[in-house]
């Protein structure tokens, strides 16, 4: 069984910062891509940032130069540093990872339960 557990969401004023963390645990042989997605009320879930196991990062245009993704492969953890937050960043943020539980397994998609980020004065 694989679990992704997010932490670090909350309420912040416009211009403020938050740092999200996501820990992957359970039966894990290998992790490929890890990343963050978000879903605002009434909207589809969109990619925010992703990072390969080798450290290559990709960002949505709306968060470039404000958000930074990083990961600690030894800890199976991915982070999202969010600076200069705007009200339009308000959403539930979901952690995602492509994980092979066993050496003979193919990579599968796993999701966290989501953490609420609210940007408001």
């Amino acid at each position: 069984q694989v679990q992704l557990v997010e932490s670090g969401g909350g309420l912040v004023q416009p211009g403020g910062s938050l740092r999200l963390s996501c820990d992957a645990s359970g039966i894990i042989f290998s992790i490929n891509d890890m990343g963050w997605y978000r879903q605002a009320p009434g909207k589809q879930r969109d990619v925010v940032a992703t990072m390969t196991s080798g450290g290559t990062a990709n960002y949505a245009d709306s968060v470039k130069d404000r958000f930074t993704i990083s990961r600690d492969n030894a800890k199976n953890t991915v982070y999202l540093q969010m600076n200069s937050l705007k009200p339009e960043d308000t959403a539930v943020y979901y952690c995602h990872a492509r994980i092979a539980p066993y050496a003979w397994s193919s990579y599968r998609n796993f999701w966290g339960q989501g953490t609420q980020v609210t940007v408001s004065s």
Side-chain angles (χ1 to χ4, degrees):
Q1 203 69 328
V2 173
Q3 280 191 318
L4 300 182
V5 179
E6 302 107 332
S7 60
L11 173 65
V12 63
Q13 292 186 341
S17 298
L18 281 175
R19 189 187 194 217
L20 306 182
S21 298
C22 172
D23 295 315
S25 63
I27 301 174
I28 297 173
F29 172 74
S30 176
I31 302 179
N32 195 342
D33 292 357
M34 299 186 82
W36 294 93
Y37 291 68
R38 67 186 180 187
Q39 187 168 20
K43 296 188 176 181
Q44 67 180 19
R45 188 175 299 186
D46 291 326
V47 63
V48 175
T50 61
M51 179 169 275
T52 67
S53 57
T56 299
N58 286 285
Y59 296 93
D61 288 342
S62 60
V63 306
K64 279 181 181 176
D65 300 323
R66 298 189 299 122
F67 291 10
T68 302
I69 188 172
S70 61
R71 61 189 281 182
D72 185 333
N73 291 333
K75 295 182 178 180
N76 294 336
T77 300
V78 63
Y79 306 95
L80 186 68
Q81 178 65 43
M82 304 185 292
N83 298 329
S84 303
L85 283 159
K86 305 175 181 180
E88 50 264 43
D89 294 317
T90 295
V92 177
Y93 283 70
Y94 295 91
C95 175
H96 168 263
R98 285 187 57 77
I99 297 173
Y102 301 97
W104 59 86
S105 303
S106 58
Y107 285 96
R108 292 160 47 194
N109 292 315
F110 291 90
W111 294 90
Q113 81 286 353
T115 185
Q116 178 70 45
V117 171
T118 302
V119 185
S120 175
S121 55

